[in-house]
Amino acid sequence: MVKITDFAVESWMDAHENDCKYNIAETCCASISVNELRELSENKGREVLDTSKVLTYGAIRGSEELRNNLARLYSAKVASPLSPDNILTTPGAIQANYLTTYALVGTGDHVICHYPTYQSLYEVPKQLGAEVDLWKATPENEWVPKIENLKALIKPNTKLIIINNPNNPTGAVLKKSFLQEIIDIASEKNITILGDEVYRPIFHSISPLDKDFPPSLLSMGYKNVIVTGSMSKAYSLAGVRIGWIASRSSELIETIASARHYTTISVSQLDEQVAAFALHSSTIHGLLARNIQLAKTNMALLEKFVLKNDDECEWVKPVAGNTAFIKFHREGKPVDSVDFCKKLLEKTGVLFTPGNCFGEEWKGYVRVGFVNHTEVIEPGLTEAAKFVRKNLDEVELAA
């Protein structure tokens, strides 16, 4: 039997997200309905769903329209377009990441994973029998890990390097020149890189005109790259459960496709139609403009919250994505983040996520998801500020 470690962040959300008044733990851009999605399109008369379609398994590797739309996105500003044949759809990015490691690593393999990050990225390779080393980032280096540390972790049996860009929980980004350094290291030993890009392209605090703006890892010329994404975080459609795997290596795609037969067969035709509509050229610009503006508006509110409470909290301001990692302390000592979050929820109805869901060493940290509706974020942060002023002394300190 596979030893399964508790998935801390998902257990926390499962226990609390439906019982809070202000969900500031939600990591998706504020979710929308099918009707709202249609209103964001330039072609409001276009049907989202073709209900005349017979509901067979459909296209096994993913609908033609959806994979064409994804291929178009990954082909922008690159010399060599990505073929739709190099994309597989999955039920969410969590399945995309699982399937990739399931297909590529096992006992005797070594995996290096960017950290802190979403727990499944390093726990699943462990479950599959691989040895996993964490490539640790720190707030002192603005949550960017050090290249020399990556070099030191490489072993003769290193099979996979996993990065999460933009990063959950910190909101940091690995910039273009840094990504190139990772590729240079990986290419020397033919190591595959898995890039979880689920929070791309929500860039709220870095300009696309920045010369070091981070492109998709898929566009940087190294063939042994796999990227994953989904409709949940950047595209406000977690409920359709659509994710994907893309690579310029047909060999990698075929290996994963073979493993996928054991886990997926195909993805819901109805979900894929909604996703294809959202990613169509007539819709995606309005959808992303809405979400990036929401991120900017709410980031300003969150930054104001941190500044007002700077005696009790600190952070490295996020650059992209939907999350921030904030450290709370009392008289210089970190609080117990679980006790903080439980008491905050009980007294105010505000839901944050304890930082120890991302590792026991993150004492005092909480993850904030700030791209929910502003009507949730603004009053929620007001209530959280009151709690910090009035109730922080009641919170236990970290052991």
Side-chain angles (χ1 to χ4, degrees):
M1 180 177 173
V2 174
K3 182 182 178 183
I4 299 176
T5 304
D6 180 54
F7 200 155
V9 71
E10 295 302 339
S11 293
W12 175 265
M13 296 299 288
D14 183 33
H16 301 294
E17 70 177 325
N18 293 316
D19 299 317
C20 61
K21 185 174 181 181
Y22 305 104
N23 190 344
I24 314 184
E26 173 60 68
T27 57
C28 301
C29 289
S31 297
I32 57 174
S33 67
V34 170
N35 288 342
E36 289 171 312
L37 178 64
R38 186 187 294 109
E39 286 303 306
L40 287 167
S41 176
E42 295 167 9
N43 183 1
K44 294 176 176 51
R46 184 166 170 261
E47 286 300 322
V48 179
L49 288 171
D50 179 359
T51 55
S52 70
K53 272 194 173 183
V54 177
L55 296 178
T56 63
Y57 283 113
I60 295 301
R61 295 190 176 201
S63 77
E64 181 179 357
E65 183 183 10
L66 177 54
R67 292 199 293 158
N68 281 339
N69 287 347
L70 285 165
R72 175 178 47 79
L73 294 180
Y74 285 116
S75 298
K77 298 181 182 178
V78 295
S80 177
L82 181 71
S83 168
D85 293 337
N86 286 60
I87 298 171
L88 301 168
T89 63
T90 60
I94 194 166
Q95 174 68 353
N97 290 327
Y98 187 98
L99 189 58
T100 299
T101 49
Y102 172 69
L104 298 183
V105 304
T107 303
D109 292 325
H110 177 240
V111 174
I112 298 169
C113 187
H114 180 191
Y115 178 86
T117 191
Y118 195 56
Q119 187 177 343
S120 66
L121 290 175
Y122 52 88
E123 286 293 346
V124 170
K126 286 183 191 176
Q127 293 171 15
L128 295 166
E131 176 192 1
V132 177
D133 277 318
L134 301 177
W135 182 26
K136 296 185 177 182
T138 64
E140 291 78 17
N141 200 43
E142 298 190 331
W143 295 116
V144 177
K146 294 184 177 180
I147 283 292
E148 56 265 32
N149 293 347
L150 175 61
K151 291 177 180 177
L153 291 172
I154 299 288
K155 297 182 178 182
N157 61 335
T158 302
K159 190 76 174 289
L160 191 65
I161 297 170
I162 301 172
I163 64 173
N164 175 208
N165 194 36
N167 178 258
N168 169 22
T170 67
V173 298
L174 307 180
K175 294 184 179 181
K176 184 178 181 178
S177 58
F178 191 88
L179 293 175
Q180 187 60 55
E181 291 186 87
I182 298 173
I183 288 170
D184 292 344
I185 292 167
S187 61
E188 284 181 14
K189 299 185 181 295
N190 205 34
I191 299 168
T192 299
I193 306 171
L194 167 59
D196 178 332
E197 297 182 345
V198 73
Y199 289 95
R200 183 179 181 85
I202 303 300
F203 295 101
H204 47 73
S205 300
I206 182 173
S207 168
L209 300 177
D210 187 314
K211 63 180 178 61
D212 217 8
F213 184 83
S216 170
L217 200 61
L218 205 61
S219 68
M220 296 192 66
Y222 182 47
K223 196 170 185 181
N224 289 343
V225 159
I226 300 158
V227 301
T228 57
S230 89
M231 299 305 300
S232 300
K233 307 303 183 183
Y235 299 102
S236 300
L237 292 168
V240 300
R241 304 310 302 135
I242 292 292
W244 56 84
I245 300 164
S247 177
R248 291 189 177 274
S249 167
S250 296
E251 182 181 351
L252 286 172
I253 286 293
E254 290 307 313
T255 298
I256 297 168
S258 181
R260 182 176 175 275
H261 290 313
Y262 284 96
T263 65
T264 307
I265 303 179
S266 65
V267 178
S268 160
Q269 281 198 53
L270 298 176
D271 289 354
E272 289 194 336
Q273 284 188 58
V274 177
F277 183 95
L279 297 179
H280 189 272
S281 57
S282 66
T283 311
I284 188 171
H285 303 296
L287 178 57
L288 284 178
R290 176 250 192 198
N291 288 352
I292 291 170
Q293 184 55 54
L294 189 62
K296 289 180 176 180
T297 298
N298 292 354
M299 169 53 66
L301 295 172
L302 185 59
E303 188 169 21
K304 183 178 178 181
F305 168 85
V306 172
L307 289 171
K308 283 181 69 176
N309 297 283
D310 61 357
D311 287 339
E312 294 82 21
C313 70
E314 59 191 79
W315 70 344
V316 177
K317 183 182 174 182
V319 177
N322 306 347
T323 62
F325 216 31
I326 302 174
K327 185 177 183 179
F328 286 88
H329 44 76
R330 196 171 73 232
E331 297 174 2
K333 297 176 182 178
V335 301
D336 180 307
S337 61
V338 173
D339 191 54
F340 177 91
C341 289
K342 284 184 175 179
K343 284 176 175 160
L344 175 69
L345 180 61
E346 289 166 5
K347 291 185 177 293
T348 68
V350 173
L351 183 64
F352 287 171
T353 303
N356 71 332
C357 288
F358 299 90
E360 290 298 329
E361 65 263 54
W362 307 119
K363 297 181 186 300
Y365 280 92
V366 302
R367 185 188 71 180
V368 174
F370 63 89
V371 197
N372 206 338
H373 295 283
T374 303
E375 303 80 56
V376 172
I377 300 298
E378 189 165 24
L381 289 177
T382 298
E383 291 301 314
K386 291 177 184 175
F387 175 85
V388 170
R389 288 197 304 273
K390 296 179 180 179
N391 305 108
L392 192 64
D393 287 345
E394 301 169 18
V395 176
E396 296 175 12
L397 294 176

